[in-house]
Amino acid sequence: MFERLAGPAPLAPSFPTRSLDVVTLLHTADIHLGFKTHGRRDPDTGLNTRLLDVRRSLEAVVQRALDADVDAFLFCGDAYHTADPTPTQQDIFVQCLRPLADADIPVVLIVGNHDHPVTFGRASSLDIFDHIAGAVHCYRKPASSVQVLDTKSGPLQLIPLPWPIRSQILAKDEYRRMSPDELRQFVEEHYVTYVQRRAAEIMEEETGITPEGTEHALSPDVPTVLAGHVTVQGAALSGSEHTTTIASEPKFTVGQLAVRPIDYVALGHVHRPQNRNEEGHPPVVYSGSIERVTFNEADEDKGVQLVDIDPARDPVTHTTFVETPARPFVAVSVDARDADDPTERVLAAIQERDVADAIVRVRYRVREEQVAQVDPERLREALAAADTVAGIERTVDPADRKRRTAVTRESGLEEAVRQYVGQHDELSGLEEDLVEAALALEARLEADEANPG
């Protein structure tokens, strides 16, 4: 767990005009500690290799934040793959974030849909951070006021927008009979109103609150970030995400989130990194996930966003995508049906790809008569440098067999011969000659039978 750190000094009761200091943030999300797809037991640690992959990437993310000397670390939801992480998964998450707490870098944790149980009343998997002293701030529901965080470069105004917890809404009598569509519309209207109210409070220089509960005046001249775990209309999904699931969720337009004076909208939930407001300001950005889960993500970049907010620049906010050391996925697909040596054809395709330390899947297609020509052992040897071989899958085209037609006693001689020839391609050019010879033989036999003497 995090060591108990002394709380930050109280902020001044009001803010001066915006400082010219650049505020730097690291924005990440969707770690999903605990998924095991294409993993195996690591013999050295006893842990699933995909858990180790996520730990390596998260450690790299934290180190990048330290190297950049960021003012705050924004984690926008889905720390774990399920709402009931194991103690090992919780320990990995905490130990990875420990260097940030030791460096007095404020950490913002936004609860995502995978972090929160479906059942009303149960704690989320991130709620434990509420009981840890220091600059670690967890948000499981929208805050009643704009949050004001103290950073080394000055104050940062935060509007937290965690995943909407439907069970909490449905637990109230007046909402219990809502249909799914009514509930979705209610959440959308509630969240839009919430963002508008918090933005108006800043524009009108009303009062915000620090994590310690101290009231402070707000200002549109102070860097402001909305950090959320929600779906934006039109977001491009990652290969591992299900369109049908996203389709039923509350959705928001860019304009509903990119409200003045917000300088940056930091989002989690969608695993493909993207800025949904490339032509406008502020950036509305999904940082994306830090690790690949399936082969559908083989060609997708994985990483985090480094963000700097500079009031002296136009536009004020710049973002930089930083790749993580995500485990590569390599999918090899080979059609060897026309190959004289199908094994060599598959090996050549493998050699064209960099399979070192990758999770690799090989799919090849051959004809039925080529199956025995493929040497599986040589294929496995060619994949020795891979981290994991997810599978060597074969598709076989069956031999083209003609359906055999039964020749019965009722069949005439000509019909029987033609059926026989039709089942033997090598006789196709002799059909008429064979029919003529057979009929001639039949005629002779009948003549012999009619004149036995």
Side-chain angles (χ1 to χ4, degrees):
M1 288 297 171
F2 287 111
E3 297 178 0
R4 294 189 174 273
L5 305 174
L11 296 175
S14 62
F15 294 129
T17 56
R18 177 173 250 175
S19 168
L20 293 181
D21 290 339
V22 177
V23 173
T24 304
L25 313 169
L26 190 141
H27 164 209
T28 187
D30 297 292
I31 295 172
H32 287 272
L33 273 164
F35 75 84
K36 299 179 180 179
T37 309
H38 302 304
R40 53 184 171 77
R41 183 180 179 275
D42 177 66
D44 296 328
T45 64
L47 301 178
N48 188 277
T49 52
R50 298 317 320 276
L51 187 63
L52 298 177
D53 287 345
V54 176
R55 183 177 70 180
R56 182 185 66 251
S57 285
L58 183 54
E59 288 174 342
V61 169
V62 170
Q63 187 59 53
R64 188 67 181 88
L66 296 172
D67 292 343
D69 194 23
V70 300
D71 295 295
F73 185 94
L74 306 180
F75 175 73
C76 294
D78 285 356
Y80 307 106
H81 199 52
T82 70
D84 297 302
T86 67
T88 298
Q89 293 162 10
Q90 290 178 311
D91 183 64
I92 288 175
F93 188 56
V94 170
Q95 294 302 327
C96 285
L97 297 188
R98 179 189 292 275
L100 298 170
D102 291 343
D104 290 328
I105 294 175
V107 176
V108 173
L109 303 177
I110 303 295
V111 172
N113 56 309
H114 282 259
D115 301 318
H116 203 285
V118 174
T119 305
F120 173 68
R122 294 183 60 192
S124 81
S125 56
L126 298 181
D127 283 358
I128 187 174
F129 290 95
D130 286 336
H131 306 288
I132 299 172
V136 181
H137 315 297
C138 180
Y139 298 96
R140 64 179 297 177
K141 61 183 180 180
S144 58
S145 300
V146 176
Q147 304 292 289
V148 183
L149 309 182
D150 188 22
T151 79
K152 61 180 175 56
S153 296
L156 175 68
Q157 295 172 161
L158 173 71
I159 301 174
L161 198 66
W163 178 256
I165 303 168
R166 301 187 184 194
S167 61
Q168 289 185 351
I169 300 172
L170 295 176
K172 298 180 179 180
D173 291 338
E174 61 266 38
Y175 306 133
R176 191 165 294 167
R177 295 184 179 180
M178 281 185 172
S179 69
D181 284 343
E182 290 172 335
L183 180 59
R184 177 177 51 79
Q185 184 176 356
F186 173 83
V187 170
E188 290 172 349
E189 293 174 353
H190 178 73
Y191 267 35
V192 169
T193 300
Y194 166 79
V195 172
Q196 292 173 343
R197 286 178 178 173
R198 299 292 87 83
E201 290 169 357
I202 297 171
M203 292 299 295
E204 296 170 10
E205 300 186 357
E206 296 183 13
T207 300
I209 193 167
T210 71
E212 296 76 30
T214 304
E215 291 186 350
H216 286 282
L218 301 171
S219 171
D221 294 323
V222 170
T224 301
V225 171
L226 185 153
H229 193 90
V230 294
T231 303
V232 172
Q233 292 180 11
L237 303 184
S238 174
S240 64
E241 296 176 293
H242 301 291
T243 305
T244 53
T245 302
I246 297 289
S248 62
E249 297 174 351
K251 295 182 183 64
F252 306 92
T253 66
V254 167
Q256 289 170 335
L257 302 180
V259 179
R260 187 170 180 268
I262 295 172
D263 295 305
Y264 182 68
V265 178
L267 297 176
H269 189 42
V270 173
H271 293 186
R272 184 188 292 271
Q274 58 197 284
N275 179 5
R276 300 306 306 166
N277 195 26
E278 289 186 343
E279 303 301 322
H281 185 80
V284 177
V285 177
Y286 284 105
S287 63
S289 55
I290 66 172
E291 266 292 339
R292 298 177 181 90
V293 178
T294 71
F295 282 94
N296 291 334
E297 298 175 283
D299 297 326
E300 294 181 12
D301 294 330
K302 296 298 176 182
V304 300
Q305 297 285 342
L306 270 179
V307 183
D308 60 90
I309 302 173
D310 183 354
R313 183 179 56 206
D314 185 19
V316 170
T317 306
H318 278 185
T319 64
T320 302
F321 182 74
V322 180
E323 289 192 43
T324 56
R327 178 72 62 187
F329 274 56
V330 176
V332 180
S333 182
V334 189
D335 187 344
R337 289 176 296 176
D338 63 347
D340 293 332
D341 188 335
T343 298
E344 291 298 331
R345 174 70 62 82
V346 178
L347 289 175
I350 293 173
Q351 291 167 1
E352 291 176 357
R353 307 295 296 276
D354 182 6
V355 301
D357 296 321
I359 295 175
V360 183
R361 181 189 67 203
V362 176
R363 289 177 172 172
Y364 66 92
R365 186 174 182 179
V366 293
R367 303 188 310 276
E368 185 174 348
E369 57 268 29
Q370 294 175 298
V371 170
Q373 297 177 293
V374 178
D375 187 343
E377 186 61 32
R378 291 184 65 193
L379 301 186
R380 285 191 288 269
E381 290 174 357
L383 298 171
D387 175 79
T388 301
V389 178
I392 300 176
E393 304 170 10
R394 180 183 67 198
T395 299
V396 179
D397 284 7
D400 184 17
R401 297 185 177 89
K402 294 182 179 291
R403 190 172 72 88
R404 304 188 71 84
T405 304
V407 178
T408 66
R409 289 182 180 273
E410 289 73 25
S411 300
L413 178 61
E414 180 178 353
E415 178 186 357
V417 172
R418 291 189 185 281
Q419 288 178 353
Y420 181 84
V421 172
Q423 295 168 4
H424 295 79
D425 291 344
E426 68 275 15
L427 301 178
S428 59
L430 302 174
E431 180 176 347
E432 296 303 325
D433 291 339
L434 290 173
V435 168
E436 183 179 347
L439 292 176
L441 179 60
E442 181 183 43
R444 186 181 303 173
L445 289 173
E446 290 175 349
D448 290 345
E449 291 175 355
N451 301 286

